[in-house]
Amino acid sequence: MDPTKDQLISLYRTMQTIRLFEERIVDLYARGEVPGLAHLYIGEEAVAAGVCAVLTDDDYITSTHRGHGHVIAKGTELEPMMAELFGKKTGCCKGKGGSMHIADMDRGILGANGIAGGGLPIAVGAAWSSKWRATNQVTACFFGDDSSSNGTFHESLNLASLHKLPVVFVCENNGYGISVCQAKCTPVTDVASRAVAYEMPGVVVDGNNVLEVYEAAAKAVKRARAGEGPTLIECKTYRWRGHHEGDPNQGARYRTKEEIQAWKEKCPIERFRKKMLKDRITTKKSLGKIDDDISEAISEAVKFAQESDFPAVEEMYDDIYV
Amino acid sequence: MDPTKDQLISLYRTMQTIRLFEERIVDLYARGEVPGLAHLYIGEEAVAAGVCAVLTDDDYITSTHRGHGHVIAKGTELEPMMAELFGKKTGCCKGKGGSMHIADMDRGILGANGIAGGGLPIAVGAAWSSKWRATNQVTACFFGDDSSSNGTFHESLNLASLHKLPVVFVCENNGYGISVCQAKCTPVTDVASRAVAYEMPGVVVDGNNVLEVYEAAAKAVKRARAGEGPTLIECKTYRWRGHHEGDPNQGARYRTKEEIQAWKEKCPIERFRKKMLKDRITTKKSLGKIDDDISEAISEAVKFAQESDFPAVEEMYDDIYV
Amino acid sequence: MREITYCDALNEALRQCMQEDDRVVVLGEDIGCYGGIFQVTKGLLDEFGPDRIVDTPIAEAGFVGACVGAALTGMRPVAEIMFIDFTTVCMDMIVNQMAKMHYMFGGKGRVPMVLRTNIGAGRGTAAQHSQSFHSFFAHMPGLVVAAPATPYDAKGLLTEAIKNDNPVIFVEHKRLYISKGPVPEESYTIPFGKAEIKREGRDVTIVATHALVGSALEAAEQASKEGIEAEVIDPRTLSPLDKDTILNSVQKTGRLLVADEDNKTYGFAAEISAIVAEEAIYYLKAPIIRNASPDTPVPFSPPLEKAYMFGKEALMESIRRLMAYA
Amino acid sequence: MREITYCDALNEALRQCMQEDDRVVVLGEDIGCYGGIFQVTKGLLDEFGPDRIVDTPIAEAGFVGACVGAALTGMRPVAEIMFIDFTTVCMDMIVNQMAKMHYMFGGKGRVPMVLRTNIGAGRGTAAQHSQSFHSFFAHMPGLVVAAPATPYDAKGLLTEAIKNDNPVIFVEHKRLYISKGPVPEESYTIPFGKAEIKREGRDVTIVATHALVGSALEAAEQASKEGIEAEVIDPRTLSPLDKDTILNSVQKTGRLLVADEDNKTYGFAAEISAIVAEEAIYYLKAPIIRNASPDTPVPFSPPLEKAYMFGKEALMESIRRLMAYA
Ligand SMILES: Cc1ncc(C[n+]2csc(CCOP(=O)(O)OP(=O)(O)O)c2C)c(N)n1
Ligand SMILES: Cc1ncc(C[n+]2csc(CCOP(=O)(O)OP(=O)(O)O)c2C)c(N)n1
Ligand SMILES: [Mg+2]
Ligand SMILES: [Mg+2]
């Protein structure tokens, strides 16, 4: 199950694409080009990259309010994605959804979700659907640590385990709700420890180590495809920026600078980059080339978004019903 | 913490009151005197009796759709209770609530509840309230096995443990939702095993053994009063009759006669009665006297209810607002 | 034509749709061997097995949300929520997911699911099992809301709901389950957004829903004996709403009575009234009367619950009041 | 009088009520050191500590239900639900518990709690963070629904809500948080069920809520320049609703415009229209016009969201339409 060299490079590329994409959003948001709420994923890239790397194009994911990383990792093209964040007609959702509702049915992305915990039952349904339709598809369900306090977590894990559904629950534990730290949300230290309450395996992984994530996800996906039921994976990670762009001082109202700095030193991309170079998987130069390609693709996506039209006002009334 | 002789007799009296009360309801329901939905508690008496025996008058309980037992055990008088089931003006709720909404603020009964799982957050609030008001009150929260599949279970146990609230969660596991057996509702065998997910103690007791229930409840209440937080107690028991009066063949659509019979042989009252006689706590005669007194009290309650007036039609518009 | 009950008509619609299309599955509490609390799913477990007739735990947000996810990915699930009162425990899945996904995703995902539930007082089940707040769903853009009043409509609307690509809140009525009427054996659909004129009349328009359609027809019969001809319109779907049929009728009769079991204030009846006040006021010869449930929770006590409900008598009184205007 | 923002007015009401009465506690997400997503609870944690200003996990059914239980047992809790859209995840606790207990228990228990939340589009937050379905709560017997339009009303109504023994859904408005107006420093209350005539006029009645009160006043100023005098009525509480003030005004003006941000169909505006169509139709000189949000989810794209919203211009157009009738 060890990733091949190509796969390793692909993991890097995914993480770096997310990082550079998000960094561009910081700038675009500050300039007012990306409106609304942008919840950035910087610092958590290894989770989306590691999990989505073991999924096929046919597999499903449900995403969250902090969904850009998942969407990129699952393979949506940057141009329609960027255009969606701009609210343009060429966006994945024709500009109607924006950051919190990006979806891409062609790639099994069943939507970001503005409701914390809202994606879990939907993931259960997608997994149930592949069981009913007797396909081999697996659903990966991303959700945050604080969202796991919601009743949907309980109902969903119970149903999924009861019916042995092919779903992988991925808790992205970045230690905080918006400003509320985990210790104020729940008495448990590990969300994954709750797996026993549903008779499913629960594992904690270093969410800033893409290979650990990859490995745990590969195992869970294998189990799911074999019809053995769901797994709960908790990835310990951290968001570097505020809850959303506009959160004052990148969330320094509720987190210390030291804490933020300590996590930055555990940067998932930097760590992986170092490891790849040390293991001689690739060279600095190749990685530099990848970075440049990504930057260029993002610039093109921005250009595409900027040059695209807004939807016509009458389109407001389209798509309410089929 | 061993119950005194008086306490033992009181446990018997409570269970028998519930049993005889419910048996009378069977008859009254069949005659159409008690309308609506009557969910009877026959077979589960030891749970309410054992738990409420360790509560004071000031303590709170939240009840369920199957609430007559809890209400009797917590000390509501039979007359207003019976009158409520008849929909009479003299009922606990002036006839407005009926079986599923019996409440008695004077005895800390915060209401039966027609919503499965609806009582859990309310219990958490009552417990929080005693913490805020710095009283010594404890809240006992009754709920069924199937109701524990609801999201409110998760949210409530998490909040209660997080804030170390003085609440005792009492799961009455009678093996069924309405017709759906536990194995079709959840992969876990013991609901109490879920306590670990909330870092609280979880215990399974024989819910047909009133002394076991009593003991577990006493321990949990002590812990709660000491500010050490909640406990989850699961009482394994069984309902003898259908889900509600009117459930065809006492639920034989989904349960075998053998299963029902086997549980009847574990009758909590009969077992306790035998034990008391064996331990020479009391005599057959005294128990017979208690039974007679209870029957008479129930007859009086029925008479009271029958002779009471229905509310005047205009009263429909009262009590919507304070 | 053979006559069957509203309940059996619904059952037949489910059965025929399940026979025809493997993608149709049903999820709910006690819908298996129990046959559903109101027996709407009776026998389906035997015919289709536990994979397609799924008894669920009390996890409405979980299984309704699962229906959304399944619908998005190629299934056509039907969820049963035992009483409309319990839609409150899965309201997010209805309002924020089921209703909005198609729109939020720019038309790219579809949620072809049906959520069956029921309204109505009259069974002594008090405030948490007797509500009628169907107008809330009709108020939510993105949802279709069906409201069958007869066995015929029950079967045809449910078949349409299952075959339709939009999410549908299918609002049945408790007291109607045992009502009988003619129903074709073969499968058929009734289009959404087409009201039916259940009786023609020139003097007063009654827009009625659910059980009140029957009451309105009875009242109309009686009124007829008094020389008043009432037109009874059943919208059949509350959303989309067939405004034209209502407006045309009011233009003819000049008098409007709206009869619906939701609570009066901010309820269904208000919208019908407002549409007419906005678009056909000049045709009115009288104020618009609403007969709706009182603005109180449903009381348990039998005489109070009886007073809470209303039917033919209340409608007759309103008809007479309307006719008092020249 | 000093001028402060709507947000600060709410903050002051909370602070004063908490100073005065130990039973007042506040629960919600990010209301502590973060000060609430809209800063309404800013500084309260420092003053009252984490026992009374309780940051909760994302467990709305849990903590709103806990407020119900606490209110029943002697506390006066205030819950903050970050956006009205999220009331869907705790709807049972609101609709079946908070609203109904007093009634179901025959008047014997009281639920003196407040659930604060907010409505309104305009911040680019799309379909799940921009809704305005306040009429649903007003539709539920047992709930008081407050809808402050000014800083003055915000403080007075919130103070009343906290002191009142009924359960209150307190509906704030996102775009108003930064609006400024005169607010007394001392504590005061505004009674429920009393509309305020924010401007007198003889030609047309505008019943407006929330941010549209401001738009209506602006439109009235402009209309005045055209010789039209509009009366602007702010109901301030949607339930109880002050029908009399509205009916009296319509009897005077003969023209009614209702302006509210809920979706049009089956929304708030329908009820106002229906009341007038039922009780004052003979005074009307024109149809009743509703200016409400379109029947669509709120779109993300800035130009679409802008088109979704409406204000002074739309109201002016309606006023002119109404005045076209003699
Ligand atoms: C039901 C619901 N309640 C509250 C919110 C507001 N909210 C948005 S994100 C968030 C915190 C989510 O924390 P977590 O699940 O840990 O995800 P993270 O933001 O840390 O990635 C909250 C409270 C919401 N969107 N939905
Ligand atoms: C939210 C909700 N869903 C469904 C129901 C219908 N219902 C009433 S009781 C019941 C089964 C409850 O089972 P359990 O919790 O085990 O309690 P028991 O009846 O066995 O005592 C169901 C499904 C309900 N009342 N509330
Ligand atoms: Mg988090
Ligand atoms: Mg049970």
Side-chain angles (χ1 to χ4, degrees), chain D residues 10-316:
Chain D
L10 293 165
N11 182 272
E12 193 166 272
L14 285 169
R15 173 173 283 115
Q16 289 175 345
C17 288
M18 291 187 77
Q19 285 167 344
E20 209 180 285
D21 187 344
D22 278 351
R23 297 171 303 173
V24 181
V25 291
V26 186
L27 284 79
E29 288 143 18
D30 306 290
I31 62 166
C33 65
Y34 201 88
I37 201 85
F38 293 106
Q39 300 298 295
V40 173
T41 55
K42 192 171 55 187
L44 299 182
L45 175 67
D46 288 341
E47 183 168 347
F48 302 104
D51 283 343
R52 294 182 67 195
I53 298 291
V54 185
D55 267 330
T56 62
I58 305 178
E60 285 87 354
F63 77 78
V64 169
C67 288
V68 174
L72 261 180
T73 54
M75 299 295 294
R76 307 189 83 86
V78 179
E80 171 171 314
I81 296 290
M82 210 177 274
F83 294 88
I84 201 170
D85 314 65
F86 308 162
T87 59
T88 54
V89 299
C90 51
M91 198 55 100
D92 173 63
M93 288 297 141
I94 300 172
V95 162
N96 288 325
Q97 317 292 345
M98 178 179 171
K100 293 191 171 54
M101 280 194 166
H102 184 64
Y103 190 84
M104 295 189 301
F105 298 173
K108 287 193 192 141
R110 293 179 174 197
V111 187
M113 68 175 276
V114 183
L115 187 153
R116 291 181 40 244
T117 192
N118 60 72
I119 60 157
R123 294 171 54 97
T125 53
Q128 295 175 336
H129 287 68
S130 310
Q131 290 171 86
S132 306
F133 52 74
H134 42 286
S135 17
F136 180 55
F137 297 112
H139 179 53
M140 273 296 147
L143 296 176
V144 168
V145 179
T150 65
Y152 181 90
D153 289 351
K155 181 173 172 186
L157 287 169
L158 184 52
T159 305
E160 173 62 30
I162 294 171
K163 292 177 190 259
N164 195 287
D165 273 341
N166 289 296
V168 179
I169 304 289
F170 196 87
V171 185
E172 302 163 9
H173 191 288
K174 289 184 197 74
R175 293 199 309 280
L176 291 177
Y177 282 125
I178 53 164
S179 68
K180 277 196 159 188
V183 176
E185 299 196 19
E186 67 280 6
S187 184
Y188 61 97
T189 60
I190 293 173
F192 292 155
K194 289 298 296 169
E196 188 181 46
I197 301 177
K198 300 248 158 156
R199 181 188 197 279
E200 298 206 14
R202 59 168 191 256
D203 298 320
V204 48
T205 300
I206 310 180
V207 174
T209 61
H210 285 122
L212 291 164
V213 173
S215 308
L217 289 170
E218 288 170 28
E221 284 315 306
Q222 179 169 339
S224 180
K225 292 186 193 127
E226 300 178 14
I228 306 164
E229 294 303 331
E231 178 144 307
V232 177
I233 297 177
D234 174 2
R236 297 203 292 200
T237 55
L238 313 184
S239 176
L241 178 69
D242 182 354
K243 285 193 342 184
D244 292 343
T245 299
I246 296 168
L247 290 170
N248 286 340
S249 176
V250 170
Q251 285 173 19
K252 175 173 73 176
T253 63
R255 294 182 187 87
L256 175 62
L257 168 62
V258 192
D260 173 76
E261 254 171 90
D262 203 339
N263 296 107
K264 180 172 180 180
T265 303
Y266 302 108
F268 170 82
E271 178 60 30
I272 306 303
S273 178
I275 287 171
V276 170
E278 200 156 6
E279 303 186 34
I281 202 168
Y282 277 96
Y283 296 92
L284 288 177
K285 302 176 191 154
I288 301 171
I289 299 186
R290 293 180 283 168
N291 276 162
S293 293
D295 291 318
T296 112
V298 181
F300 167 69
S301 185
L304 299 196
E305 190 185 30
K306 191 152 169 271
Y308 179 92
M309 299 195 294
F310 62 99
K312 182 186 140 196
E313 295 311 320
L315 301 187
M316 264 318 291

Side-chain angles (χ1 to χ4, degrees), chain A residues 65-66 114-116 144-147 174 176-178 243, chain D residues 29-30 58 60 82 86 89 129:
Chain A
H65 57 286
R66 195 176 305 290
I115 303 298
D145 50 304
D146 194 11
S147 300
N174 59 16
Y176 288 85
I178 295 179
H243 176 66
Chain D
E29 288 143 18
D30 306 290
I58 305 178
E60 285 87 354
M82 210 177 274
F86 308 162
V89 299
H129 287 68

Side-chain angles (χ1 to χ4, degrees), chain C residues 129-180:
Chain C
H129 287 68
S130 309
Q131 290 172 86
S132 304
F133 52 74
H134 41 286
S135 17
F136 180 55
F137 298 111
H139 178 53
M140 272 296 147
L143 296 175
V144 168
V145 179
T150 66
Y152 181 90
D153 290 351
K155 180 173 172 185
L157 287 170
L158 184 53
T159 305
E160 172 63 30
I162 294 171
K163 292 177 190 257
N164 194 287
D165 273 340
N166 288 297
V168 179
I169 304 290
F170 196 87
V171 185
E172 301 163 10
H173 192 288
K174 289 184 197 76
R175 295 198 308 280
L176 291 178
Y177 282 125
I178 54 165
S179 67
K180 277 195 158 189

Side-chain angles (χ1 to χ4, degrees), chain B residues 44 65-66 144-147 172-178 180 239:
Chain B
E44 311 188 11
H65 57 287
R66 195 176 303 290
D145 50 302
D146 195 10
S147 300
E172 308 188 300
N173 188 345
N174 59 16
Y176 288 85
I178 294 179
V180 188
R239 70 169 146 78

